[in-house]
């Protein structure tokens, strides 16, 4: 198709304009643009579309699922190969007490170094819930979106990470050096709460490399389908993942093995005991944590944070976001701005799964000997993972539930990055040059292990950044837009090209 008649032509022209604009901003960017490097990189990305798409599809076909111990070494080896192919000169496997990670460096002789955080593990999936097989990466037409790729990891996180890899491949194919040095740290157990990632990051060689970085980003593809806008988060909530287990044996009451349900008249039920314990963790409506001391260290929103949320609320489309979530009401039917304040400020206690006894077709009249609840808790500043785990256990013991096993699988502290940091300034400048509307939001309601970068001993700004759109993380039919029919949202090629432009802005700001 003639580029001038392509639906993506206006976006490509805009990106070329961004390169021209960069010439007026700083000598380093002007020199790169004068040599035509960025234009060559963008052309290389477009010409390599099929290879870049295949890279993502091959990656999705190899799922690393930490919770199932699936493809642990295979995923690590594949991540190392992707890093080498992208131009990282030094790539190594970093062992930990659990799942290994990957550490890689790319020296481009630049003055500025940027850190990249990748995760190569994905959430579990049930193929029966998907409209197409979750590992086949089929391309389908989606009204209002264009052609999208459906697959586990499409948006969380292999898709956005593949856009970065495509940008780096573009530099290689164009014979150009990225304008910044790069340090990559990748893990294969984020989806179980990154229990060993701090060990990887704080190992001597990795820590020394990260200390040279101006900041660290996790790739994201979160453009709004409504207006193409992006929220720039100044942090993220922390998380605890655990399961509560009640058994007749540990309790000393109830059956030692599943029993005929007629005996309920005279035998205690572990399942009901678990329900009673869960009810103590939250308010009657289930929406506010009621764990002893849970709010002791919760820091209220500052006036500046409230102002940022008000601005964000004005720029975001409530109806669209609710439709995307599949909900018709918010907690307490709060007004949109108040709901977004609660989203940023409220710690949570959530039941991920609740299992006991028979769950197959029909009924099975048993009194189960075991009941399990899988929970996650989101933490806000100034809560900490260790303090909150201790409070959960103490809360249960105080109420006579000391027999309930609290099996913590992972988690970490909240993370924060200053609004005036160079990293945030570079993000905002890159979005502005690409013509993308932005709002700043105090913290992501979800979680990623950015705390290990923002806290000592690394102590760097860190956040999410990227272009394009995808949705359905952790859910069936997770997708990433490949060829966008929405002029406000970038497809795969343009999103990769825009990331290349972002690297020049990082170099300009330092």
């Amino acid at each position: 198709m003639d580029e001038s008649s392509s639906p993506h032509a206006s976006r490509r022209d805009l990106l070329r304009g961004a390169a021209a604009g960069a010439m007026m901003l700083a000598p380093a960017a002007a020199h790169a643009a004068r040599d035509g490097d960025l234009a060559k990189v963008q052309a290389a990305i477009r010409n390599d579309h099929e290879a870049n798409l295949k890279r993502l599809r091959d990656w999705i076909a190899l799922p690393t699922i930490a919770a199932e111990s699936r493809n642990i070494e295979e995923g690590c080896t594949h991540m190392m190969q992707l890093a080498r192919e992208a131009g990282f000169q030094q790539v190594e496997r970093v062992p930990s007490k659990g799942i290994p990670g990957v550490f890689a460096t790319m020296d481009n002789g630049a003055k500025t170094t940027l850190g990249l955080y990748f995760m190569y593990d994905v959430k579990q999936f049930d193929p029966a819930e998907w409209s197409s097989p979750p590992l086949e990466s089929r391309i389908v037409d989606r009204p209002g979106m264009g052609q999208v790729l459906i697959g586990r990891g499409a948006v969380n996180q292999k898709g956005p990470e593949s856009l970065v890899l495509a940008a780096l491949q573009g530099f290689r194919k164009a014979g150009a050096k990225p304008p910044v040095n790069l340090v990559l740290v990748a893990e294969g157990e984020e989806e179980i709460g990154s229990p060993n990632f701090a060990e990887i990051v704080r190992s001597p060689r990795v820590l020394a490399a990260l200390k040279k970085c101006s900041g660290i980003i996790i790739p994201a593809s979160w453009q709004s389908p409504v207006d193409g806008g992006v929220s720039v988060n100044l942090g993220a909530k922390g998380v605890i993942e655990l399961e509560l287990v009640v058994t007749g044996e540990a309790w000393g009451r109830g059956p030692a093995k599943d029993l005929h349900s007629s005996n309920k008249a005279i035998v205690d039920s572990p399942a009901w005991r678990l329900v009673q314990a869960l009810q103590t963790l939250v308010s009657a409506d289930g929406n506010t944590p009621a764990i002893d001391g849970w709010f002791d260290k919760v820091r209220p929103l500052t006036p500046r944070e409230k102002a940022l949320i008000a601005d964000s609320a004005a720029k975001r489309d409530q109806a669209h976001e609710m439709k995307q979530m599949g909900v018709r009401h918010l907690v307490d039917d709060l007004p949109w701005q108040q709901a977004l304040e609660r989203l940023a400020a409220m710690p949570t206690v959530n039941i991920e799964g609740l299992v006991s006894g028979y769950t197959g077709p029909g009924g099975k009249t048993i009194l189960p000997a075991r009941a399990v609840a899988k929970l996650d808790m989101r933490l806000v500043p100034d809560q900490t993972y260790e303090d909150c785990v201790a409070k959960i256990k103490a809360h249960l013991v105080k109420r006579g539930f000391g027999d309930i096993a609290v099996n913590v699988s992972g988690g970490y502290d909240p993370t924060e990055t200053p609004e005036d940091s160079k990293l945030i300034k570079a993000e905002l400048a890159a979005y502005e040059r690409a013509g993308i509307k932005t709002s700043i939001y105090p913290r992501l309601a979800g979680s990623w292990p950015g705390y290990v970068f923002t806290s000592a001993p690394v102590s760097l700004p860190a956040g999410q950044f990227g272009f394009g759109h995808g949705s359905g993380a952790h859910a069936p039919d997770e997708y990433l837009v490949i060829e966008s029919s929405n002029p406000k949202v970038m497809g795969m090629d343009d999103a990769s090209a825009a990331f290349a432009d972002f690297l020049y802005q990082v170099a300009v700001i330092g």
Side-chain angles (χ1 to χ4, degrees):
M1 180 184 294
D2 188 307
E3 188 175 310
S4 64
S5 63
S6 165
H8 311 294
S10 61
R11 175 63 65 186
R12 289 168 181 150
D13 291 343
L14 183 59
L15 289 172
R16 292 192 187 102
M23 287 194 293
M24 297 183 289
L25 289 175
H31 180 70
R34 186 172 60 246
D35 289 344
D37 282 355
L38 185 55
K40 292 178 182 178
V41 170
Q42 292 168 347
I45 291 170
R46 291 193 296 273
N47 292 336
D48 229 15
H49 175 88
E50 291 302 325
N52 292 331
L53 180 57
K54 184 178 185 300
R55 184 184 306 110
L56 173 56
R57 299 177 91 165
D58 289 347
W59 201 4
I60 286 175
L62 179 66
T64 296
I65 302 179
E68 299 175 353
S69 298
R70 182 174 177 181
N71 292 329
I72 300 304
E73 289 300 330
E74 294 88 344
C76 181
T77 299
H78 192 76
M79 181 70 253
M80 293 172 68
Q81 183 63 27
L82 290 174
R84 292 189 185 99
E85 292 173 354
F88 287 87
Q89 299 105 342
Q90 301 294 326
V91 182
E92 61 185 78
R93 176 186 184 276
V94 184
S96 77
K97 294 175 183 176
I99 294 173
V102 174
F103 165 56
T105 58
M106 185 190 296
D107 184 354
N108 296 311
K111 293 181 179 180
T112 302
T113 300
L114 177 69
L116 299 174
Y117 166 81
F118 279 17
M119 50 179 280
Y120 53 87
D121 63 322
V122 297
K123 274 295 185 187
Q124 307 94 311
F125 54 84
D126 180 355
E129 298 176 341
W130 292 61
S131 64
S132 65
L135 301 184
E136 290 189 6
S137 300
R138 292 182 183 174
I139 305 295
V140 303
D141 288 320
R142 178 160 292 194
M145 297 285 186
Q147 291 188 324
V148 306
L149 179 151
I150 295 180
R152 176 54 85 222
V155 72
N156 183 27
Q157 277 290 129
K158 292 179 178 179
E161 291 165 356
S162 289
L163 299 178
V164 175
L165 294 175
L168 297 180
Q169 289 282 0
F171 279 100
R172 294 190 73 190
K173 298 293 178 66
K177 284 187 177 182
V180 295
N181 308 316
L182 297 169
V183 174
L184 170 68
V185 187
E187 66 165 320
E189 55 180 4
E190 195 279 338
E191 296 293 11
I192 60 170
S194 304
N196 300 287
F197 188 54
E199 178 188 355
I200 292 169
V201 168
R202 293 166 185 166
S203 61
R205 282 173 51 78
V206 178
L207 180 59
L210 288 172
K211 281 287 192 179
K212 299 176 183 178
C213 295
S214 61
I216 296 170
I217 63 133
I218 172 175
S221 294
W222 293 343
Q223 282 189 266
S224 167
V226 175
D227 59 8
V230 173
S231 288
V232 175
N233 297 298
L234 300 179
K237 290 183 177 181
V239 69
I240 299 169
E241 286 196 273
L242 58 83
E243 62 178 16
L244 302 182
V245 182
V246 181
T247 64
E249 182 177 4
W251 184 17
R253 308 183 68 88
K257 60 182 180 180
D258 289 356
L259 193 64
H260 193 285
S261 65
S262 63
N263 291 292
K264 181 64 197 77
I266 58 172
V267 179
D268 292 301
S269 166
W272 280 116
R273 180 165 179 77
L274 177 59
V275 170
Q276 291 165 353
L278 291 171
Q279 288 177 327
T280 73
L281 301 180
V282 292
S283 58
D285 60 9
N287 293 329
T288 303
I291 299 167
D292 294 339
W294 202 246
F295 287 88
D296 288 353
K297 297 184 178 181
V298 169
R299 190 177 72 210
L301 292 173
T302 65
R304 175 57 180 168
E305 287 172 331
K306 289 185 176 182
L308 290 174
I309 292 171
D311 179 68
S312 182
K315 293 177 178 177
R316 294 164 62 173
D317 188 307
Q318 178 182 2
H320 170 77
E321 294 194 29
M322 289 179 65
K323 181 179 179 181
Q324 195 170 39
M325 288 189 288
V327 301
R328 288 189 282 180
H329 295 276
L330 300 176
V331 166
D332 297 331
D333 291 314
L334 290 172
W336 186 227
Q337 182 175 327
Q338 291 182 34
L340 292 182
E341 288 183 0
R342 182 182 173 92
L343 186 65
M346 176 62 68
T348 64
V349 175
N350 176 60
I351 299 175
E352 299 176 354
L354 193 57
V355 181
S356 183
Y358 179 71
T359 60
K364 185 180 181 184
T365 51
I366 60 169
L367 195 170
R370 188 173 187 269
V372 179
K374 293 183 179 291
L375 308 181
D376 65 64
M377 290 86 168
R378 304 288 170 170
L379 312 179
V380 301
D382 292 314
Q383 292 181 299
T384 64
Y385 166 83
E386 290 186 359
D387 180 63
C388 288
V389 168
K391 284 176 176 174
I392 294 165
K393 293 178 178 179
H395 173 95
L396 292 171
V397 169
K398 182 179 178 181
R399 282 157 180 75
F401 296 109
D403 60 280
I404 296 180
V406 181
N407 301 328
V408 181
S409 59
Y412 38 79
D413 295 348
T415 179
E416 293 185 280
T417 287
E419 184 180 353
D420 62 354
S421 66
K422 291 182 178 179
L423 182 68
I424 299 300
K425 289 179 179 178
E427 290 187 14
L428 292 171
Y431 285 135
E432 181 179 4
R433 287 203 319 281
I436 292 175
K437 181 174 70 174
T438 60
S439 60
I440 300 176
Y441 195 68
R443 68 189 57 90
L444 179 69
S447 305
W448 72 287
Y451 85 100
V452 76
F453 303 122
T454 58
S455 63
V458 182
S459 304
L460 290 173
Q464 304 86 21
F465 178 80
F467 303 85
H469 170 75
S471 189
H474 297 189
D477 288 350
E478 179 180 356
Y479 71 88
L480 179 75
V481 173
I482 302 299
E483 293 284 357
S484 179
S485 63
N486 182 341
K488 295 183 179 297
V489 173
M490 294 187 189
M492 183 178 74
D493 293 349
D494 291 339
S496 295
F499 189 87
D501 183 59
F502 166 67
L503 296 183
Y504 283 102
Q505 184 59 12
V506 172
V508 169
I509 293 179

